[in-house]
Amino acid sequence: MATSPWTAAPAQSASPRRRGAALERAILDAALEQLSTVGWNGLTMEGVAAGAQTGKAAIYRRWPSKEDLVVDALQAGLPLIEEVPDLGSVREDLLALCRQAREGMFSRPGFALRAVIHECDPMQAERFHEVIFEGVVEPTLRLLREVITRGIGRGEVRSDAANSYVFDAIPAIMMYRSKMRACEWSDRDLEEMIDGLMLPLLRPSGT
Amino acid sequence: MATSPWTAAPAQSASPRRRGAALERAILDAALEQLSTVGWNGLTMEGVAAGAQTGKAAIYRRWPSKEDLVVDALQAGLPLIEEVPDLGSVREDLLALCRQAREGMFSRPGFALRAVIHECDPMQAERFHEVIFEGVVEPTLRLLREVITRGIGRGEVRSDAANSYVFDAIPAIMMYRSKMRACEWSDRDLEEMIDGLMLPLLRPSGT
């Protein structure tokens, strides 16, 4: 029987031993899988190695710590924030943006990201905050700002609507309800939030 | 040297061995302390026993599992939600309510509660959800509803403002900013949220 992890590939395994970039992708992928299922606390280098069908040494050579591995796994796997086309009204633009946010939240990288956000406090996880802010928060804020600016241009949105509390409302409530009420954010839930909270908040006085 | 936890009180300890209700309070207190410092994942029965200066058996006799212990610790320690007196305007009423929420959030039971919320997912922690909803969420919603109803009565708030997304806005954003930006919710932060988000959201059209 093999005694070293380097010869640990069982005889019956059909997967070839991966090397180089393919191995790294497999390791990052396994890390995301662990994060999205057992969270930051449940993730172990052993578990990641098993998921990538490799040995711990292969991981530690490239990523000296769990934090280093998770930063790269998040960076590699982050959901892509696409542009929101001009759909003609702030209601439709916001709905499109929220549907995108929902797809992101409920994707595997989205679950991985939320595990890290929930389980790590800001001081302890400063390294993650950079990848979270640059990868997700800032692009989302940019899109929200764009949608709101278009709405101001159309006269649908009050000119002083662009403040940071307004921008935080959508991500805050989506994360809150997902966490506290296991809300899965159906299209109907998104519409109720837009109609019940965002449109009243954004419309000019006198409308 | 003592071999049993029951004779483990060191000779130099000034604390008397506690029993009965006093011991239970000490155990619940130690559980809250653990939750608020190392969180759900960091809490161990050994750590709680040490904090209560007792042995694990004393804990297990009363609380067969970590979940049982945490449910009772939260229930015993939950921050008290006081009534919000009528301060004459929805702005002042909301500020008073938010200051109370902030004191709760940043109290030891508040940190304990947030650790449980963040680290446990809804399916896994159904038992906590009951104590969280009955102890904190529902009283807070009741107070918000009261404040908004008073505001409608004064003509400051639009008559259709009482919907669940409006009620969720404040707790959602307070938790979001505390988590994502390590926001400590100064009085000024609270005022900016009320003025920038809640008042525009609540006021009748035409004002």
Side-chain angles (χ1 to χ4, degrees):
Chain A
M1 277 307 283
T3 50
S4 148
W6 291 115
T7 53
Q12 66 273 24
S13 163
S15 318
R17 293 251 336 273
R18 286 166 289 198
R19 301 168 200 282
L23 177 56
E24 290 184 9
R25 273 194 304 274
I27 290 170
L28 293 179
D29 203 71
L32 269 191
E33 181 65 21
Q34 288 265 296
L35 278 175
S36 68
T37 50
V38 297
W40 162 262
N41 288 294
L43 185 153
T44 60
M45 298 305 236
E46 288 82 1
V48 175
Q53 293 182 306
T54 187
K56 277 198 292 180
I59 303 180
Y60 278 114
R61 260 209 313 275
R62 296 162 176 83
W63 295 282
S65 73
K66 191 173 158 178
E67 284 80 2
D68 292 308
L69 176 61
V70 167
V71 167
D72 279 6
L74 290 176
Q75 211 136 37
L78 277 179
L80 209 61
I81 315 271
E82 293 174 21
E83 298 305 310
V84 173
D86 184 332
L87 298 171
S89 72
V90 71
R91 185 182 190 272
E92 292 308 313
D93 287 358
L94 282 175
L95 273 168
L97 193 150
C98 289
R99 278 188 206 107
Q100 223 191 105
R102 173 190 60 204
E103 302 321 319
M105 273 176 80
F106 290 90
S107 67
R108 189 176 70 171
F111 280 117
L113 197 67
R114 285 196 282 154
V116 168
I117 289 172
H118 287 131
E119 294 177 50
C120 300
D121 77 61
M123 296 308 110
Q124 169 192 47
E126 259 178 83
R127 299 195 54 200
F128 303 143
H129 274 250
E130 196 186 311
V131 66
I132 291 169
F133 272 88
E134 292 180 12
V136 182
V137 177
E138 280 166 7
T140 308
L141 289 182
R142 187 176 48 77
L143 282 185
L144 266 165
R145 196 183 300 273
E146 215 175 287
V147 165
I148 281 173
T149 302
R150 277 184 218 154
I152 293 171
R154 292 189 206 101
E156 292 181 287
V157 172
R158 55 190 174 89
S159 50
D160 60 345
N163 74 58
S164 64
Y165 291 92
V166 169
F167 294 139
D168 277 355
I170 286 176
I173 289 176
M174 288 187 78
M175 281 179 62
Y176 180 80
R177 284 204 169 194
S178 169
K179 191 73 182 149
M180 298 290 282
R181 305 179 202 275
C183 178
E184 292 181 341
W185 287 103
S186 64
D187 280 0
R188 178 170 169 167
D189 294 327
L190 293 178
E191 288 175 28
E192 284 180 1
M193 174 179 63
I194 303 293
D195 292 334
L197 180 74
M198 296 310 293
L199 295 188
L201 175 59
L202 295 173
R203 67 186 166 217
S205 355
T207 58
Chain B
M1 277 307 285
T3 50
S4 146
W6 291 115
T7 52
Q12 65 273 26
S13 164
S15 319
R17 293 254 333 274
R18 285 168 289 200
R19 302 168 200 280
L23 177 56
E24 290 184 10
R25 274 196 301 276
I27 291 171
L28 293 178
D29 202 69
L32 270 190
E33 181 63 24
Q34 288 265 298
L35 278 174
S36 67
T37 51
V38 297
W40 162 262
N41 288 296
L43 185 153
T44 60
M45 298 305 235
E46 289 82 1
V48 175
Q53 291 182 307
T54 186
K56 277 198 290 179
I59 304 180
Y60 279 115
R61 259 210 312 277
R62 296 162 175 82
W63 295 283
S65 73
K66 191 173 157 177
E67 286 79 3
D68 292 308
L69 176 61
V70 166
V71 167
D72 279 4
L74 289 176
Q75 209 135 37
L78 277 180
L80 209 60
I81 315 271
E82 293 171 22
E83 298 305 310
V84 173
D86 185 331
L87 297 170
S89 73
V90 72
R91 184 182 190 272
E92 291 309 312
D93 286 0
L94 282 175
L95 273 168
L97 192 151
C98 288
R99 279 189 204 106
Q100 224 191 107
R102 172 189 63 204
E103 300 324 317
M105 275 177 79
F106 290 91
S107 68
R108 188 175 71 170
F111 280 118
L113 198 67
R114 285 196 281 154
V116 168
I117 288 171
H118 287 130
E119 295 178 51
C120 300
D121 76 64
M123 295 309 110
Q124 170 192 46
E126 261 184 68
R127 300 193 57 199
F128 303 143
H129 275 250
E130 197 186 310
V131 66
I132 291 168
F133 271 90
E134 290 180 12
V136 181
V137 177
E138 280 164 7
T140 307
L141 289 181
R142 186 175 50 76
L143 283 184
L144 265 164
R145 196 183 299 274
E146 213 174 291
V147 165
I148 281 173
T149 302
R150 277 185 219 153
I152 293 171
R154 293 190 204 100
E156 293 180 285
V157 173
R158 56 190 173 88
S159 50
D160 60 345
N163 74 57
S164 65
Y165 291 93
V166 169
F167 293 139
D168 277 355
I170 287 176
I173 290 177
M174 288 187 77
M175 282 180 60
Y176 179 80
R177 284 204 169 195
S178 169
K179 191 74 182 150
M180 298 292 281
R181 305 179 201 278
C183 178
E184 290 179 343
W185 287 104
S186 65
D187 280 0
R188 176 167 171 172
D189 294 326
L190 293 178
E191 288 175 26
E192 286 180 0
M193 174 179 63
I194 304 294
D195 292 334
L197 180 73
M198 296 309 293
L199 295 187
L201 175 57
L202 295 172
R203 68 186 165 215
S205 355
T207 60

